[in-house]
């Protein structure tokens, strides 16, 4: 059994989508922000005291890119892993999202942009540079690995969908077209419906 630790108002939404794409049964554990997330028993699952996390066959996996990659490889029948020809693009863009995309959007959201002489140290260079790379990618192809959806699209797509929703990324034509393809997927819609239900219940309670 897969165990899924999340809060609907978190990056756990990314992993719920991945789990729905996998199609295996899972048990959800909704972890509240504050003491519950920062203390036992959850702190033994993730010492960082943050969600999401999964536990499968007694093993814990944290960090969205790691969880998505693990799920794709552990449940190959779902077709989320890359073919041999797609492997280079798959890993390149999965971890480009985990690195430069996450760093650049977080820095901008916090009101910090590296000065020209700091760009090399920052790693991602600049927000505009990261944006152009992703725009060029999605202008040239429908999905990260070309014409086939993979787990890498769950991660990059989530960043783009969230970014446009909350104003941390611009609504570029390539981003909107890509988001449209992804949000049309039944697994994406099922995952969003569940998290929206949980968010509504939290707000009412």
């Amino acid at each position: 059994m897969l165990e899924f630790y999340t809060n609907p108002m978190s990056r756990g939404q990314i992993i719920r989508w991945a789990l729905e794409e996998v199609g295996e049964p899972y048990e959800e554990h909704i972890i509240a922000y504050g003491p519950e997330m920062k203390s036992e028993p959850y702190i033994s699952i993730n010492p960082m005291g943050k969600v999401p996390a999964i536990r499968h066959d007694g093993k814990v996996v944290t960090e969205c890119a790691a969880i998505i990659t693990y799920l794709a490889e552990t449940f190959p029948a779902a077709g989320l892993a890359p073919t041999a020809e797609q492997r280079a693009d798959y890993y390149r863009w999965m971890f480009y999202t985990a690195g430069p995309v996450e760093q650049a959007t977080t820095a901008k959201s916090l009101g910090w942009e590296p000065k020209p002489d700091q760009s090399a140290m920052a790693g991602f260079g600049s927000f505009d540079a990261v944006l152009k790379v992703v725009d060029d990618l999605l202008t040239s192809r429908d999905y990260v690995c070309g014409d086939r959806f993979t787990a890498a699209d769950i991660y990059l797509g989530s960043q783009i969908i969230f970014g446009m929703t909350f104003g941390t990324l611009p609504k570029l034509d390539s981003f909107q077209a890509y988001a449209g393809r992804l949000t049309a997927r039944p697994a994406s819609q099922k995952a969003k419906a569940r998290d929206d239900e949980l968010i509504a219940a939290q707000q009412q309670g």
Side-chain angles (χ1 to χ4, degrees), residues 110-181:
L110 294 174
W112 180 74
E113 179 80 9
K115 298 174 182 177
D117 62 343
Q118 296 174 319
S119 61
M121 183 182 297
F124 61 86
S126 71
F127 178 81
D128 289 342
V130 170
L131 200 67
K132 184 179 186 308
V133 169
V134 179
D135 185 28
D136 287 347
L137 172 72
L138 297 178
T139 298
S140 68
R141 57 183 68 179
D142 285 345
Y143 299 103
V144 166
C145 293
D147 60 0
R148 176 177 167 266
F149 177 88
T150 66
D153 292 294
I154 298 173
Y155 195 31
L156 178 59
S158 293
Q159 298 292 336
I160 288 174
I161 293 165
F162 293 165
M164 291 194 298
T165 299
F166 295 106
T168 57
L169 288 175
K171 295 181 178 180
L172 302 180
D173 289 346
S174 66
F175 289 6
Q176 293 189 82
Y178 182 56
R181 288 189 289 275

Side-chain angles (χ1 to χ4, degrees), residues 89-102:
D89 280 344
Y90 177 86
Y91 286 110
R92 175 186 178 183
W93 297 110
M94 178 75 81
F95 294 101
Y96 185 82
T97 304
V101 174
E102 278 266 13

Side-chain angles (χ1 to χ4, degrees), residues 44-112:
S44 292
I45 300 296
N46 187 350
M48 289 290 290
K50 65 176 188 176
V51 291
I54 65 167
R55 181 160 55 185
H56 180 238
D57 289 343
K59 301 294 185 180
V60 172
V61 188
T62 64
E63 311 312 317
C64 287
I67 296 170
I68 292 170
T69 303
Y70 176 86
L71 290 172
E73 294 178 359
T74 302
F75 302 101
L80 298 175
T83 64
E85 293 179 353
Q86 295 170 334
R87 196 171 294 131
D89 280 344
Y90 177 86
Y91 286 110
R92 175 186 178 183
W93 297 110
M94 178 75 81
F95 294 101
Y96 185 82
T97 304
V101 174
E102 278 266 13
Q103 293 169 7
T105 54
T106 298
K108 188 172 181 63
S109 297
L110 294 174
W112 180 74

